Amino acid sequence: MISEWSNGMSRRRAIQASFAAAAILMAPRLSQASPAKVQEELKKLFGDKKPTEGKIRIDAPQIAENGLVVPITVDVESPMTDANYVKSLHLFADGNPQPGVASFKFTPASGKATATTRMRLAQTQNIVCVAEMSDGTLHTASAEVKVTIGGCGG
Amino acid sequence: MSTKPTPRVRLPANAKKDEIIEIKTLISHEMESGQRRDGAGNVIPRKIINKVTAAFNGKVFFEADWHPAISANPYQAFFYKASESGEFTFTWKDDDGSEYVAKNKLSVA
């Protein structure tokens, strides 16, 4: 170590480096979703089309005590007529083992582009929703849910 | 596999024309995620319901694709715009190929 310091690596740098190495070693063992994985999924679904923010309201708890059962309601603003309706709505969680949560397909007969379900969240993370309208435009919204006890049972 | 999954559906029996009604569904199912391990350290194979469809008089109006992140005994609520009297058919599709079906009548005044 002493020779390393004289090589220009300060004691502080050495300590920082050892912390960084420890952080890598302590990273979760399971394969993990990440914001990048969510973007990958979106690319698979929609190609290079970029969604715009807005038109979606996410109703989920800010703090979920039990990650096994987290209620979520997603509501997309739309008249739901034959000419203008929400075709599909996709939910992703960027900190779960797999990014996909659910995908909903609506029709004008749905009346409202609203769906409620219950999901599992492994840890505190962002929920990302993307809606595809009948004219092909995309909208997105996200919400952070803090999870006290993770819900992956592992 | 414990018991046979039992679907439960709650919706109004009557509606006015063009009224938007809420449909709440629940089905008993363990939704085994494929992420867990048993006592011996072997991965418990995935077994979830991966699709729910809701149809009225044979015409599908809502579909949900579920991933392993959906909780056990999954709940799903959605809406329907009433147009005529008829019958709903709700279908849950399991990973193992089985289908669970519930039917409900709606009369529109």
Side-chain angles (χ1 to χ4, degrees):
Chain A
M1 281 303 245
I2 289 169
S3 65
E4 269 175 13
W5 296 345
S6 58
N7 265 344
M9 193 178 196
S10 69
R11 185 191 162 97
R12 182 175 297 165
R13 285 282 299 279
I15 291 169
Q16 278 172 350
S18 66
F19 269 111
I24 290 163
L25 289 175
M26 288 188 298
R29 308 143 283 152
L30 288 163
S31 68
Q32 269 288 303
S34 60
K37 280 256 177 70
V38 171
Q39 292 308 318
E40 241 172 65
E41 291 289 315
L42 286 178
K43 201 157 183 179
K44 264 190 241 162
L45 284 167
F46 304 117
D48 283 329
K49 266 201 278 182
K50 286 276 170 287
T52 49
E53 290 279 333
K55 285 216 173 183
I56 304 176
R57 198 177 56 84
I58 303 173
D59 192 0
Q62 282 185 320
I63 298 172
E65 273 183 25
N66 181 359
L68 272 172
V69 189
V70 183
I72 181 167
T73 299
V74 185
D75 179 31
V76 189
E77 195 186 307
S78 163
M80 294 305 272
T81 58
D82 286 339
N84 182 0
Y85 64 96
V86 181
K87 254 166 72 178
S88 62
L89 174 64
H90 305 269
L91 269 61
F92 302 98
D94 67 9
N96 267 2
Q98 291 165 11
V101 174
S103 296
F104 306 117
K105 290 193 194 95
F106 299 100
T107 59
S110 300
K112 263 203 246 186
T114 303
T116 304
T117 189
R118 294 177 191 150
M119 61 187 172
R120 294 175 176 138
L121 295 178
Q123 53 177 318
T124 296
Q125 57 187 295
N126 287 311
I127 310 303
V128 180
C129 300
V130 178
E132 188 187 18
M133 311 308 229
S134 52
D135 63 2
T137 52
L138 302 178
H139 293 282
T140 185
S142 63
E144 193 195 32
V145 180
K146 291 193 165 65
V147 177
T148 320
I149 302 168
C152 269
Chain B
M1 189 67 232
S2 43
T3 48
K4 189 178 155 17
T6 317
R8 267 181 279 168
V9 178
R10 183 163 286 205
L11 57 94
N14 304 292
K16 293 192 206 77
K17 193 174 158 47
D18 289 337
E19 187 183 341
I20 294 172
I21 59 167
E22 185 175 24
I23 299 164
K24 294 174 177 174
T25 70
L26 193 65
I27 185 163
S28 53
H29 194 283
E30 66 272 70
M31 296 292 277
E32 190 57 64
S33 68
Q35 301 281 336
R36 297 200 305 158
R37 288 169 191 278
D38 63 15
N42 304 312
V43 172
I44 305 171
R46 177 183 132 152
K47 187 182 184 296
I48 67 167
I49 292 171
N50 54 52
K51 198 178 198 63
V52 190
T53 53
F56 188 75
N57 289 345
K59 206 169 165 249
V60 173
F61 65 91
F62 175 83
E63 257 181 32
D65 291 323
W66 284 344
H67 295 279
I70 296 294
S71 304
N73 301 326
Y75 172 80
Q76 181 73 61
F78 47 92
F79 291 85
Y80 178 69
K81 192 173 179 184
S83 54
E84 53 179 359
S85 298
E87 192 180 43
F88 288 103
T89 310
F90 304 102
T91 314
W92 289 260
K93 291 195 177 80
D94 198 306
D95 271 349
D96 69 6
S98 25
E99 284 190 359
Y100 318 111
V101 178
K103 287 176 191 281
N104 289 69
K105 286 203 171 20
L106 177 76
S107 66
V108 173

